[in-house]
Amino acid sequence: MKLKIGELAKITEVTKRTIDYYTNLGLLKAQRSAANYRYYDENAISQIKYIEECKRNRLSLEQIKERLHNNKMDNVDMNHLKEKLENLDKEIKGILQSFEGDNQHKKGEMRNTISHESISLIQTLLLLLS
């Protein structure tokens, strides 16, 4: 769902001018239409509520911007890690299936199909688990 600035202001109970200010500071992101209207996604609602809560706790706008950036980076990193682990899980399942047959040719093929990145992930996970 896309919200115009006035709709977002009404929902979050802040002024359009405040939303414009947050957007100019980089605290919020808007998409522009062909007619140059700003549209915000539903995440902007929670972001504004978070910004307002941080302001009540006397954080500066720069500190709030840093927190928003860090939260976004944490989410990106976690999503990236989750994707990598899912891919690793698929590779491990393939490896286990290859071990069912005790064929040297299959073992050689298996070594060639595992990416170096996956090997590094496996080694890191093993270190963390030990």
Side-chain angles (χ1 to χ4, degrees), residues 22-73:
Y22 291 164
T23 303
N24 289 334
L25 288 176
L27 297 174
L28 295 174
K29 294 210 184 233
Q31 295 176 344
R32 293 279 183 174
S33 70
N36 209 26
Y37 288 111
R38 282 175 291 181
Y39 287 95
Y40 296 86
D41 63 21
E42 291 180 19
N43 292 333
I45 297 169
S46 60
Q47 286 178 310
I48 291 173
K49 289 180 181 182
Y50 179 76
I51 293 166
E52 293 299 307
E53 179 65 29
C54 288
K55 284 174 53 181
R56 282 191 289 280
N57 289 320
R58 300 180 189 259
L59 290 169
S60 70
L61 291 175
E62 190 59 39
Q63 290 170 317
I64 295 169
K65 185 176 183 178
E66 186 176 315
R67 283 186 175 201
L68 287 170
H69 177 74
N70 289 341
N71 288 342
K72 185 176 179 181
M73 292 306 294

Side-chain angles (χ1 to χ4, degrees), residues 1-43:
M1 178 169 83
K2 300 291 181 184
L3 302 166
K4 289 183 181 178
I5 191 170
E7 296 168 326
L8 183 60
K10 186 175 182 180
I11 292 169
T12 58
E13 299 177 344
V14 298
T15 64
K16 291 192 287 187
R17 186 174 180 195
T18 298
I19 293 172
D20 188 43
Y21 183 60
Y22 291 164
T23 303
N24 289 334
L25 288 176
L27 297 174
L28 295 174
K29 294 210 184 233
Q31 295 176 344
R32 293 279 183 174
S33 70
N36 209 26
Y37 288 111
R38 282 175 291 181
Y39 287 95
Y40 296 86
D41 63 21
E42 291 180 19
N43 292 333

